[in-house]
Amino acid sequence: QVQLVESGGGLVQAGGSLRLSCAASGRTSSRPTMAWFRQAPGKDRLFVAVIMNNGDTTPRYAGSVKGRFTISRDNAKNTVYLQMNSLEPEDTAIYYCAATPWTFYTDTYYIRADQYDSWGQGTQVTVSS
């Protein structure tokens, strides 16, 4: 496993931007796939974005954030980022970073939280209207 620590959450007005960071430590090379999920109060933890080091490295996004959010990674710093623009009140949630040893080839699996075995503690993002 790896240890993941998120940062960068906060309170922002609708239309604003935030950049989340996820710093990984431990056996990071064993976890080539990194993702962001989010969980709103009373709701399930939902997929936001994923980026892989193996296979097809094209980032994938949930439909609700495509065109507004960008996932990226700096392998030298073992850090994954989530740039969030044009934020909406519906984006309010706790955002979690996740890692897995798997490389996915279909969205059937990378959107599922149970496919990830390492999780951060989460960072709160609140978007006011």
Side-chain angles (χ1 to χ4, degrees):
Q1 285 192 343
V2 298
Q3 292 74 48
L4 305 174
V5 179
E6 303 98 333
S7 61
L11 173 64
V12 64
Q13 288 188 329
S17 298
L18 283 174
R19 188 176 83 154
L20 305 183
S21 298
C22 172
S25 60
R27 297 184 59 204
T28 57
S29 61
S30 67
R31 298 296 185 273
T33 298
M34 302 287 291
W36 288 95
F37 285 74
R38 66 185 182 185
Q39 188 167 19
K43 301 289 183 64
D44 292 334
R45 190 169 298 190
L46 299 177
F47 168 78
V48 175
V50 65
I51 189 167
M52 293 180 277
N53 261 350
N54 296 334
D56 186 348
T57 59
T58 304
R60 266 67 166 200
Y61 300 93
S64 59
V65 307
K66 198 168 187 178
R68 301 188 298 122
F69 291 11
T70 302
I71 188 172
S72 61
R73 69 192 299 168
D74 184 335
N75 289 326
K77 295 182 178 180
N78 291 323
T79 301
V80 175
Y81 304 97
L82 186 68
Q83 177 67 44
M84 306 185 295
N85 299 329
S86 302
L87 282 161
E88 304 168 352
E90 293 73 24
D91 296 316
T92 295
I94 299 174
Y95 283 71
Y96 296 91
C97 179
T100 179
W102 304 115
T103 296
F104 302 113
Y105 296 94
T106 70
D107 62 3
T108 303
Y109 296 103
Y110 64 68
I111 65 173
R112 290 172 48 174
D114 63 1
Q115 298 298 302
Y116 298 81
D117 65 354
S118 300
W119 291 87
Q121 81 288 351
T123 186
Q124 176 70 48
V125 171
T126 303
V127 184
S128 63
S129 57

